[in-house]
Amino acid sequence: MASKRLRPLLLLVALLTGGAARAEISPLADTPLVPLAGTQPSVEARALRGKVVYVDFWASWCVPCRASFPWLEEMHRKYREQGLVVLGVNKDQEFGGVEKFLARYPATFSLVQDPGDKLAKGFAVRGMPSAYLIDRRGNVRHTHVGFRQDSTAELERVVVELLKENAT
């Protein structure tokens, strides 16, 4: 039987590697997640074990996502060697806009699809973009709904704080 502290690493077993105008950062106290599968493409959970994972739900029609993608790319490049994994979960129902979006806002961080919204439902996504910061122990520690440039310093501070924490 699974323990009460199911790790988001299990949740992310199947992951690879107009939204809200305001940005909201909410600290959470070690909130474990339920494992979900079904995203495409996939990667093994062990690749994420001991990492800080930034799960970002986005869509090509999301205006704030246009601003968040360059910042996510910057965070990925700046902190990946310290253990940050950025996972972009696309919510487009039709994929024609995705290619155009990515041509304009390229990403070298991992991108996956969420057919059937299983992952979005598991995270209880409230708007676009919605982000969830998972610590090295596998707990959701912070959420972020919406995106504004003036919130990036605080978001980066939270990422750095989680990267400094030990996995045990």
Side-chain angles (χ1 to χ4, degrees):
M1 182 163 181
S3 73
K4 288 185 179 183
R5 280 188 49 117
L6 295 173
R7 298 183 185 264
L9 298 178
L10 294 174
L11 168 105
L12 299 171
V13 165
L15 291 177
L16 176 63
T17 13
R22 63 177 173 55
E24 172 187 307
I25 303 170
S26 304
L28 299 174
D30 293 337
T31 306
L33 294 178
V34 229
L36 297 172
T39 60
Q40 298 175 7
S42 63
V43 73
E44 295 183 31
R46 69 176 163 247
L48 302 175
R49 196 168 293 135
K51 306 282 187 182
V52 172
V53 183
Y54 191 114
V55 180
D56 183 75
F57 289 87
W58 68 281
S60 63
W61 47 262
C62 166
V63 175
C65 296
R66 297 173 193 162
S68 70
F69 254 59
W71 182 80
L72 289 170
E73 180 65 19
E74 178 185 343
M75 293 299 96
H76 166 70
R77 289 176 187 255
K78 191 172 181 179
Y79 295 111
R80 67 181 168 206
E81 296 299 320
Q82 294 175 41
L84 177 67
V85 174
V86 177
L87 296 169
V89 182
N90 180 258
K91 297 307 310 140
D92 283 86
Q93 296 302 312
E94 301 199 12
F95 304 109
V98 175
E99 288 181 8
K100 284 183 180 179
F101 182 94
L102 292 174
R104 188 162 183 194
Y105 308 100
T108 60
F109 54 87
S110 299
L111 298 171
V112 297
Q113 299 293 330
D114 184 22
D117 288 340
K118 290 180 183 178
L119 197 57
K121 288 174 185 172
F123 275 95
V125 171
R126 299 180 299 157
M128 286 291 151
S130 284
Y132 302 82
L133 277 161
I134 302 166
D135 68 16
R136 293 179 188 274
R137 294 178 314 273
N139 293 304
V140 176
R141 294 280 297 278
H142 296 272
T143 65
H144 176 227
V145 179
F147 187 83
R148 289 184 11 191
Q149 284 300 131
D150 63 2
S151 68
T152 59
E154 176 63 12
L155 285 171
E156 185 171 2
R157 184 196 64 73
V158 171
V159 167
V160 169
E161 176 183 295
L162 293 178
L163 287 170
K164 289 179 180 177
E165 291 181 0
N166 195 334
T168 58

